[in-house]
Amino acid sequence: MEWILLFFFLPFVLTMMFFNWLEEKLFNFRDREKLGEGERLLHESKFVEAQAFFTEKLKYFPKSSKAYFHRSKANYMLKNYFSALYDIEQSISFDNTVGEAYVIKGKVLYQLKEYDKAFLEFDKADWYFRSENPETLRWRGMARYCIGQIENAINDFNRAVDLGDEDASYILRTKFEYLKKKY
């Protein structure tokens, strides 16, 4: 009896899995085709227009991780930190393999003065970038400095400098005065 039930149920399940996979691939293809204008607006520092653009796109593609990601960047630049946090969490929930998303989330948490959570996000980003992204290392060092891990922060800054990050070099030269004044 179970075999008969399995015989009829298994093709149904496999068909549903195939169509879900196909729908996801089509959404990703359409997203790439239609988000270029918003990315251009972000690149030109037209953050209000970019935010409106991605909000409009999310009406049609509510599961687009790229649209949420880019809207979070626009919100971050507009200092709408809670909106940026919501958007980046939505983006990560749809696609958690983008290291840059963890960097944005860490920056937002850093601006909200949640340094321990920001450190964890920068650490995730560093794992995705395999310690090859100087910006991630610098921001993780800044978060480590704020939670009292001075020696580890210095190591992160030195690794960022080795990768060519001039901002990390400046922070080290000024003995963290830049961090005390700015943040």
Side-chain angles (χ1 to χ4, degrees):
M1 180 68 177
E2 293 88 16
W3 287 102
I4 295 172
L5 185 62
L6 183 64
F7 179 74
F8 288 110
F9 187 65
L10 188 60
F12 173 74
V13 170
L14 291 175
T15 303
M16 293 303 293
M17 288 173 57
F18 172 74
F19 282 114
N20 283 338
W21 174 81
L22 186 61
E23 179 185 24
E24 180 179 323
K25 293 299 176 192
L26 287 175
F27 273 131
N28 287 341
F29 178 74
R30 283 187 269 178
D31 286 348
R32 267 187 245 120
E33 293 293 313
K34 298 184 178 186
L35 296 180
E37 176 68 21
E39 291 174 4
R40 185 185 61 76
L41 290 169
L42 278 176
H43 184 69
E44 294 174 357
S45 299
K46 297 179 180 176
F47 302 119
V48 175
E49 293 90 347
Q51 179 190 37
F53 176 85
F54 290 116
T55 300
E56 186 65 27
K57 289 300 176 188
L58 284 168
K59 290 179 185 175
Y60 299 108
F61 302 105
K63 293 184 179 182
S64 172
S65 71
K66 282 186 80 173
Y68 276 114
F69 172 76
H70 290 306
R71 189 170 75 172
S72 73
K73 286 171 74 174
N75 279 323
Y76 175 76
M77 297 309 290
L78 293 170
K79 299 187 186 320
N80 298 335
Y81 297 128
F82 291 106
S83 296
L85 185 61
Y86 171 79
D87 287 341
I88 203 64
E89 285 177 350
Q90 288 294 93
S91 175
I92 290 171
S93 74
F94 293 125
D95 184 6
N96 65 353
T97 62
V98 180
E100 184 67 29
Y102 294 104
V103 174
I104 296 293
K105 186 174 180 184
K107 287 179 179 180
V108 170
L109 291 168
Y110 189 92
Q111 296 300 330
L112 294 173
K113 299 190 183 336
E114 295 188 29
Y115 303 118
D116 51 345
K117 292 179 183 176
F119 163 72
L120 293 175
E121 297 304 321
F122 292 130
D123 205 38
K124 288 177 195 174
D126 186 51
W127 184 84
Y128 278 102
F129 288 123
R130 308 284 190 248
S131 295
E132 303 264 335
N133 187 327
E135 179 188 19
T136 303
L137 292 167
R138 176 175 22 96
W139 278 96
R140 186 174 71 174
M142 290 166 56
R144 278 186 161 162
Y145 176 79
C146 292
I147 59 176
Q149 298 178 2
I150 307 298
E151 288 181 31
N152 290 334
I154 292 171
N155 289 338
D156 281 344
F157 287 130
N158 283 328
R159 286 190 6 215
V161 169
D162 291 343
L163 293 171
D165 188 20
E166 294 177 10
D167 292 337
S169 175
Y170 180 77
I171 291 170
L172 285 172
R173 280 196 318 266
T174 60
K175 297 185 170 93
F176 304 104
E177 291 300 319
Y178 173 77
L179 293 179
K180 293 174 187 172
K181 284 190 269 185
K182 183 154 176 120
Y183 299 103

